[in-house]
Amino acid sequence: MNYQGVTFPILLMELHPFLQISSMNTGDPLASDPREGSPTERTGLMSGNQTSNTDRPSYRSSASDSPTMPETSVNANETAVVGDSNSNRRSRRPREERTRPDSASASTGEDEELMYGAKHVIMLFVPVTLCMMVVVATMSSITFYTQEQNTYFVYTPFQDQEAPTGTKLWQSFANAGIILCAVIVMTIVLLMLYKYRCYKVINGWLIVSSVMMLFFFSYMYLEQVMRAYNSPLDYITASLIVWNFGMGGLFCIHWKGPLLLQQAYLIIISALVALTFIRYLPDWTVWTVLGVMVVWDLVAVLCPKGPLRVLVETAQSRNEPIFPALIYSSAMVWIVTMADDGGRSKKKKKQETKDTDNNADEEDDDGGFKEHMANGISGHSLEDSVAARSAFQALGDMTQAQKDSSVHSSCVDPLSYYEKSEPQTNLAFSESNGNIQDEPTMQRQAVPEGAVGGAVAADESDVSVRSAKKKQKKRARPTGEGASAAGGEGEPSGGEQQRERPAVPGASDDASEMEEERGIKLGLGDFIFYSVLVGKASSNGDWNTTLACFVAILIGLCCTLLLLAMFRKALPALPISLTFGLVFNFATSALVQPFMDKLNSEQVYI
Amino acid sequence: MTVMEFFGCTFITFGPPFALFLFTIARDPMRVIVLMASGFFWLCALLMSSIVWFAMVPLRDHLAFGVVCSVLLQEIFRFLFYKILRKANDGLLAVSQQTTEQHVTPKDFSNRHIMAYVSGLGFGVIAGTFSIVNVLADMSGPGTIGIEGDSKYFFLTSACLSLCIILLHMCWGVIFFSALDKKQWIRVGMVVTAHMLFACLSLVNQASSSDNSEVYLGSLIPSYLLLFGSGVAAFLTAGGSLVNLKAALICRRGRYEIE
Amino acid sequence: MQWNSAGSGLMREDLGIPVFALSDESDVFKVLHKCFFKFNLREKNETAREYPLCAAELNTKMYAAIDTETCLRRSRHFSFLGKNELCDPMGDKNNHVTMLNIPQNETRADDSVIVVGARLDSASLFTLEYQASDTSVTGFVSLLAAMEALWKVKDKIRKTKNAKDIMFAFFHGEAYDYIGSSSMVYSMTQGTFPQDLDHGLHLHKIQLQHIHQLVELNQVGYRDNEGSLWLHTDPNNRKTKLAQIQKMIDGLQDATQGLNVTLQEADATLPLPPASSQRFLMEQSDIPVVVVTDHQTQFTNKFYNSRLDLPELINATDYSPDLSKADKYDHVTKQAELIAELSTALARYLYQASTGAAPDATTEQTLTANSSTVTHMLYCFLVSPNCELFKETVSPVNAESLKTTVLPYPFYVGVYSSQQTRELSTLVYSLMARFTGDKVDLSESDCKENENDKRYSYLYVQGTLKGKGQEREGWCLKSLVHKSDALSPAFIIDGYDWKSGKYSTWTESRWGGESDSIRVRLFLVPSKQLQVSILVFGIVVLVLSLLIVYWCSIHATHIFTNRLTGSGTQSTYSPMF
Amino acid sequence: MDLRRVKNAEKLVMCRRYYLAGFFALPFLWIVNSVWFFQEAFRKPQYTEQAEIKTYVIRSFIGSVIWLAIVIVWVTIFQLKRVDWGSTGDALLFSIPHGSA
């Protein structure tokens, strides 16, 4: 997959928009669109980062003592940024060329973002395309997902097939409204949970839900495929397949696994969720839901009282990293870890590496943290990200459970599972992206992410970006960091730590850069909704429509990235793409299709 | 149509573009994006033209009208795309000057032909796909077309013409853009005329039936002649020449390679 | 003894390919003129037409496989998306009516019930392509006619001291190994016949020992040249019950006096022809049985259980060409007359057998089957169900569907459903109610079964037209007519040994859903070489383009060497790279 | 994650876990393990944990091969024999074939 194929050193400047995107689209706990968690998580990152240098052993105390740290430190960097960055790049170039002849050099300004953005756009294109392909292929080959059915989500109470258009319309809107309400409710629940730190609960649900999803979805899907191709499979083999698939997923997503496999799993999962949406949402509702999502995305992200912002503010008012409380943000723990590692001797790390893996579940108490801080980095990021992911999923699951427990009749139950599993998946994705990256990346991301989190307050974001940039440049010079920039503190230590690592010496930096390259995040929510749109478009059997939607969505994605590159302001990723997609879907099927059909049948070319 | 026919036609239509994509575009993200974007512009053009066609209720059955409209619209959008591309281009040219080292992205922007070619191909691919994909999809099954009196060469011609238009768009892209760069309005006109010519030629196909498949030759041969012409023109525009070609042919492979 | 030598047993063949019958002429035209004549028909000297040739794709997706046992077992297979049924047992409803209404608290003496039976259904190769003029219709129509005639004198019979009860039974699903009769016999042995009730006032159980004799009407449409019918008996049965059987035969033959119908006793050595009675005898061999058919040895009907068993062939539609629809309906056909005569004879015999005394002159007059009713029934069952008789006899609920029906209702038993009854059975039921029931003055809503007297069934039918208008009177018919399940015991007895072959185990497979529905597609098949050449051409194009483009992308720097913008190395100026 | 970023001890832990987990009827993990750590085991310059990793990789490779063989054999047998097995065959069916034995 393209993901790790491209090996260019990356500058935070480019990373930034994507991060914003991801942050804007990887948090929403319910509507299968984790638009909510990550940004806040990253805010957490930021503050965690800023505060980390002051106090190693406990992030909380550290958080508490320097509320004004960010501004000061950032400004400090700001001045230093420009000249520094250039020189720094020069110093780095030779190495880059050695390792990668075709590697790009960097330069300042928007253009640079455009250029490097290109690579990242492609790196998003590929998985999105694959996800869409999976969905469309399934839609066109397995009738189960296209045929009329009468079982739907409990969210969509209105669904009589042969109602007059008017009725259908308001009903679909009602359904969409309900779903939206559910989304909002979840958001609030998320806030509540965050306020009263019930991490244990979260964790528990987490694992359960993700397990359920990995196994149940694959089971259902396998059954559909087998039925579609009318091939007799025996239970033994089937269960073996499902069991292996599920466990593989757990290992890769929640623990450690080959990047490629992780990505494959995430894509498959999001495709399955998308398919579930298509299958179990009434025809019209799908479209309205997509429309509503666009609006919601805009509101949640841009409106000054949008939930994201509220979360951020509460966190800041509480003057602590926002997400550690709520989600076990892998990134957050990293900060601590990094800071910590920066301070500690490698030996210490070595000792504790052994037990890194088993304290994945005890992050909720600060004790757990201390241990982690002491631990080896790479291991940590992962397991914490496990925790984090878990936290998210649990969240989705739990609240879902509360919501639905009363509602389901036994027959509907599986569906309720579906619902539950959506938020989890998405979250899983966003998190696991965290997982995909390794610590320096995260470290570096931390700041812009923070920016993202705070992006609602525009100026701050820009500032912190610069600081981030600076940090990255500084990697070459391990010393004296602590004094100069609080934000920068964790970073060089990360750098050192890499260099000190006994891994192949040459590789370490490339590696770190590769990691950066992978640092791009796109919420599973986007994958899902894009795929839903395309899949739905393909369900009427017209490939032109499908194609049009596909192109439109990708272009929309490009535009979003472009905009992000231009004004460094948090932007939602769904609106443009989905609007394009919807417009082109209806326009094509209504206007273009008759025209094209006539042309095709007459073999007239234009 | 039968499986063999299906794959045959698919290869015919998408073989060359695939090769082009594989060797000249896939490796550079910027080109891929430009390809996408140009495809998007073509879609917009198509949307416009079909709106026009739809609005003109009395003329709906006379395809000629719709065809002419859409050809013009396509060229207009090609022009718009050119404008936009150049805007981005100038911005990026500045960047690429700074960089002394070997790098793909700025290079692309410095060389207008590449983007011209890519966007042309983008137009072509999407146009070709739109014109063939449903034909391929609808006719899946054990049989072939013709029971309603259509020619048995329907698919073959469809595939060939789709390929033709893909390549034509590619050439036109190159010619068109460079013509605009150099403000050679005649060549711009030529492109438009060529496009119009091709479209009108394909109108001939309507007369085809099982009895007279020869009609197809009436549109195929000229179309490919046109393609040849445009190809040569584009080749020369892009700075190719017979001499170079010879040189390339005789030179031992790999001798001149930069990378 | 092979009864149906004309029969080819095609229906039991596994052809391995779907076979469609095109009854719609436009379809036939399409196949012939759009496809066959145009592309496939060979001239005499021509060896073969060259491609493209016309081909057809027949699509009938059936879910069941192997055998009933397997498909039922698999139907129970659970999956997340619920069970997926593969096949359903065949069956429908039997109809029966008794002359006397003996409640369960009174006694019903042994050998006190005369059973008169006929089959309702026939089998045929194609869905909705059923004609059963002789196979079953003649039989049950004459039985219905006899019933009507007999019920005219029901009071006489009912008043007669210890007159034998007479039960008219119509068996459904007989074409598939006697589903109806076997299930009736089974329920008799189980003591759940005629009504499976154990509380409230209901009819006294009828069990096998109650049966005094059994007269069955089989095909009676094709009489031989002297128009005689044959009375078949079972050799084993003769051994035990010779006297009674002889009595029955004589009675029947006497009853035909003065009527244009002759009943001859078939060769005593002959086995009993295929008939529902077989099931009764199988269970209890000492029931005297006589089967009335139109053949002594071979079936005279060459189209037994065939879609070609057409009314024309039994003179059931011998209309003069200029008849209007209404006239056709009223025109008394030859077959109708013959059947009426038979029914009269049967009615008289039954009267005599029940009361023990021959009917007096007046009764004999009343005991005459109405030939116009017979012809109406024949018309309605064989020509068009959309006829006055049915309109009068259906309940308002079914009136709508009746209006839209053009073809005769199928004589195929179909799959069993506890709720629904197929048209044929329903119509026979309501005809029976009409012939045997008495109109009570109840509104449609009140016309329902009485809670504390379950003996009677109530049926509300449209009734005759009021005067000239479209308004119909609407009758509430109170009668002793009852339905009973015609479902093979094999599906009732749990742990039934499917291999035993005791009962019918026919099931019908489920058919493809919307995704793979029943359809025929006509299309052309291109010649192999055309296909191959296209494929090869495609591959060549692909490979060539790959090579060329690759070559170009390598040499691009030298093929394209213009200098547009001045910076960088040569390679930056190729559009190809 | 990227192995190049992982300390050798870490690698060993991971490799071992994958290997051990494979015993719970998880041949897939073995396959992953053998592919994923192949480089580490055979292509990388010597380091202390390598030997152990190597053994794990080899074992999990063998294990996955064995599993694969078992599965293939079983599936073949089942597909050929299930009709003869009758009710047991059907009981084992995960998806009921329509219209075919």
Side-chain angles (χ1 to χ4, degrees), chain C residues 409-422:
Chain C
Y409 284 120
F411 296 92
Y412 169 61
V413 61
V415 298
Y416 173 77
S417 144
S418 50
Q419 291 81 24
Q420 290 160 338
T421 313
R422 292 185 94 82

Side-chain angles (χ1 to χ4, degrees), chain C residues 444-473:
Chain C
E444 182 171 3
S445 49
D446 306 338
C447 186
K448 64 173 93 74
E449 196 171 74
N450 185 331
E451 270 318 306
N452 44 34
D453 184 355
K454 291 250 171 47
R455 293 173 300 173
Y456 296 100
S457 65
Y458 294 79
L459 177 69
Y460 191 86
V461 297
Q462 292 204 115
T464 49
L465 284 166
K466 284 183 189 164
K468 290 267 153 270
Q470 293 303 313
E471 240 352 75
R472 290 186 177 273
E473 289 173 342

Side-chain angles (χ1 to χ4, degrees), chain C residues 131-189:
Chain C
Q131 285 296 347
S133 314
D134 178 56
T135 309
S136 65
V137 173
T138 50
F140 71 75
V141 163
S142 33
L143 207 58
L144 284 167
M147 177 193 297
E148 186 193 21
L150 196 64
W151 250 261
K152 289 192 202 134
V153 298
K154 62 174 182 299
D155 305 330
K156 269 213 177 62
I157 301 175
R158 283 174 183 168
K159 275 207 282 317
T160 321
K161 188 93 177 57
N162 54 40
K164 297 203 168 11
D165 195 355
I166 306 173
M167 180 172 89
F168 283 77
F170 296 84
F171 306 110
H172 213 173
E174 295 303 280
Y176 294 90
D177 296 342
Y178 310 112
I179 293 171
S181 46
S182 56
S183 80
M184 184 180 283
V185 171
Y186 180 74
S187 52
M188 280 179 172
T189 56

Side-chain angles (χ1 to χ4, degrees), chain B residues 2 11-12 15-16 23-24 27 31 107 110-111 113-114 117 142-144 146 148 235 238-240 244 253 256-257, chain C residues 34 57 521 523-524 526 531 537-538 542 545-546 550 554 558-562 565 567 572-577:
Chain B
T2 61
F11 289 152
I12 293 171
F23 291 120
T24 67
R27 51 206 305 264
R31 297 182 191 175
K107 181 179 70 193
S110 66
N111 183 338
H113 290 315
I114 294 184
Y117 148 77
T144 188
E148 299 297 343
F235 181 73
N244 293 339
R253 192 196 159 295
Y256 299 105
E257 266 155 51
Chain C
K34 273 185 168 292
E57 183 189 58
R521 287 203 301 176
F523 49 79
L524 295 187
Q531 299 184 45
F537 181 44
L542 179 63
S545 51
L546 281 172
Y550 180 67
I554 285 175
H558 297 274
I559 300 172
F560 306 95
T561 58
N562 71 318
T565 48
S567 72
T572 59
Y573 300 121
S574 73
M576 297 301 289
F577 174 70

Side-chain angles (χ1 to χ4, degrees), chain A residues 317-494:
Chain A
S317 66
R318 208 185 286 171
N319 182 11
E320 70 175 17
I322 188 168
F323 247 80
L326 191 98
I327 304 169
Y328 271 118
S329 145
S330 48
M332 194 285 297
V333 179
W334 268 342
I335 305 317
V336 184
T337 327
M338 296 297 299
D340 178 65
D341 293 331
R344 284 176 205 233
S345 69
K346 260 175 60 199
K347 166 163 56 73
K348 178 116 196 307
K349 271 181 260 143
K350 274 226 157 65
Q351 298 164 2
E352 295 183 9
T353 325
K354 287 279 170 287
D355 50 25
T356 53
D357 311 317
N358 21 23
N359 42 33
D361 40 348
E362 38 180 307
E363 277 108 35
D364 44 331
D365 55 281
D366 301 355
F369 261 115
K370 293 203 180 62
E371 283 201 339
H372 286 295
M373 292 183 280
N375 288 338
I377 294 147
S378 51
H380 269 298
S381 51
L382 287 158
E383 85 223 353
D384 298 338
S385 58
V386 174
R389 193 165 315 102
S390 321
F392 250 123
Q393 292 167 342
L395 225 54
D397 197 2
M398 162 186 60
T399 33
Q400 281 294 342
Q402 291 163 350
K403 273 184 57 49
D404 305 334
S405 52
S406 56
V407 191
H408 303 142
S409 69
S410 61
C411 70
V412 193
D413 239 336
L415 307 190
S416 70
Y417 283 130
Y418 281 127
E419 303 157 10
K420 291 175 191 171
S421 42
E422 274 130 34
Q424 301 144 14
T425 37
N426 318 321
L427 301 157
F429 194 93
S430 60
E431 289 312 319
S432 54
N433 272 328
N435 187 351
I436 289 164
Q437 307 152 348
D438 256 320
E439 74 287 346
T441 325
M442 296 308 284
Q443 179 61 28
R444 241 160 282 112
Q445 279 168 2
V447 172
E449 281 163 346
V452 174
V456 240
D459 54 333
E460 186 184 81
S461 69
D462 204 341
V463 166
S464 49
V465 169
R466 300 242 171 272
S467 69
K469 185 169 185 174
K470 167 177 175 139
K471 278 195 326 231
Q472 198 202 9
K473 312 298 176 290
K474 289 233 176 86
R475 292 170 83 242
R477 295 171 291 146
T479 52
E481 220 58 35
S484 73
E489 177 49 282
E491 171 47 36
S493 56

Side-chain angles (χ1 to χ4, degrees), chain C residues 497-511:
Chain C
D497 170 16
W498 298 98
K499 302 276 180 291
S500 69
K502 186 162 188 289
Y503 294 117
S504 157
T505 58
W506 287 98
T507 50
E508 180 181 330
S509 165
R510 288 284 176 96
W511 294 77

